């Protein structure tokens, strides 16, 4: 289980008892997927693993609806210790930026130029949308969410704007052919 997901679940439970679906809805409502790394499908698995480790415990199971049972969980004292350990570890974790294009560019001389250009244009369009969404999130949430969350969104926005600028430079070099050259780039 990823420590990011573990920290997310434990952090949510530090705020009070809830069930996995409720956390999933909070993540969606807060649009956390734009600024928090969370693998799809990992949330329910994390609950299972944390319960087996004694870090969370079931409080109640609600069975009065036609929908699947909802088990409410709370964090244990062991879980609180783990939350604090993971929080400190997350704060000290170095920034790692290994963009998937870095590996691809190591072999760009073998790639189809038109496919590369198209892929870059698609990434530019996706990044433009992401920048727009993050800008809207900052405006919509700044009066309603804690300062630390706004800083998280602003950090994601700054990285996205930088990536957009970088992608536009890639597009220019792809169009001129410089991106595919095996010679050093000259300004």
């Amino acid at each position: 289980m990823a420590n990011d997901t573990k920290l997310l679940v434990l952090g949510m439970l530090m705020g009070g008892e809830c069930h996995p679906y409720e956390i999933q809805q909070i993540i969606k409502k807060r649009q956390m997927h734009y600024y928090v790394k969370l693998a799809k499908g990992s949330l329910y698995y994390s609950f299972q693993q944390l319960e087996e480790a004694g870090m969370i415990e079931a409080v109640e199971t609600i069975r009065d609806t036609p929908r699947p049972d909802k088990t409410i969980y709370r964090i244990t004292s062991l879980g609180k210790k783990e939350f604090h350990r993971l929080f400190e570890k997350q704060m000290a974790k170095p920034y790692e930026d290994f963009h998937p294009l870095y590996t691809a560019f190591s072999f760009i001389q073998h790639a189809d130029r038109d496919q590369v250009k198209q892929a870059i244009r698609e990434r530019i369009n996706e990044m433009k949308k992401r920048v727009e969404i993050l800008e809207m999130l900052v405006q919509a949430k700044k009066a309603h969410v804690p300062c630390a969350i706004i800083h998280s969104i602003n950090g994601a926005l700054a990285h996205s704007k930088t990536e957009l600028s970088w992608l536009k430079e890639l597009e220019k070099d792809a169009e001129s052919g410089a991106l595919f050259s095996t010679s050093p780039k000259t300004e």
Side-chain angles (χ1 to χ4, degrees):
M1 165 182 20
N3 282 338
D4 291 349
T5 307
K6 210 170 158 181
L7 179 61
L8 178 81
V9 170
L10 293 172
M12 291 283 193
L13 291 174
M14 288 288 284
E17 298 173 355
C18 60
H19 53 86
Y21 182 75
E22 187 177 1
I23 289 179
Q24 199 173 39
Q25 293 309 301
I26 291 169
I27 290 167
K28 186 184 273 186
K29 181 181 176 189
R30 293 181 186 173
Q31 297 178 312
M32 292 174 75
H33 59 283
Y34 287 107
Y35 57 94
V36 174
K37 183 179 178 180
L38 181 63
K40 288 189 183 236
S42 63
L43 193 64
Y44 286 90
Y45 178 71
S46 295
F47 268 86
Q48 179 186 349
Q49 296 296 307
L50 289 166
E51 185 176 28
E52 288 173 6
M55 294 181 197
I56 64 174
E57 60 189 7
V59 177
E60 164 186 17
T61 300
I62 301 170
R63 294 185 169 96
D64 63 352
T65 67
R67 296 180 181 221
D69 294 349
K70 290 182 181 177
T71 303
I72 309 293
Y73 292 91
R74 72 172 155 225
I75 193 166
T76 64
S77 59
L78 181 62
K80 289 177 182 178
K81 287 178 187 172
E82 181 67 359
F83 166 80
H84 290 292
R85 186 188 74 77
L86 288 172
F87 185 88
E88 286 180 33
K89 187 175 177 183
Q90 191 76 13
M91 292 294 291
K93 191 176 183 181
Y95 176 72
E96 296 174 1
D97 184 18
F98 297 104
H99 199 288
L101 293 184
Y102 300 164
T103 303
F105 284 178
S106 298
F107 308 102
I108 200 161
Q109 71 274 15
H110 305 297
D112 179 281
R113 290 179 179 209
D114 290 331
Q115 286 179 340
V116 170
K117 291 176 191 178
Q118 181 61 31
I120 291 170
R121 282 191 292 272
E122 288 171 8
R123 280 186 174 270
I124 287 172
N125 289 332
E126 289 171 16
M127 197 52 58
K128 283 179 180 177
K129 289 176 190 172
R130 181 177 173 82
V131 166
E132 287 175 21
I133 289 168
L134 288 167
E135 286 174 337
M136 287 189 299
L137 271 175
V138 169
Q139 292 307 312
K141 305 237 181 234
K142 68 181 174 186
H144 309 291
V145 299
C147 180
I149 300 299
I150 295 300
H151 280 293
S152 297
I153 298 169
N154 276 328
L157 177 58
H159 284 279
S160 296
K161 284 181 174 180
T162 300
E163 177 149 347
L164 180 57
S165 175
W166 176 69
L167 288 167
K168 288 178 179 178
E169 286 295 315
L170 289 177
E171 183 180 38
K172 281 197 291 190
D173 283 349
E175 291 299 328
S176 73
L179 188 63
F180 307 99
S181 173
T182 55
S183 302
K185 182 179 176 179
T186 56
E187 295 295 325

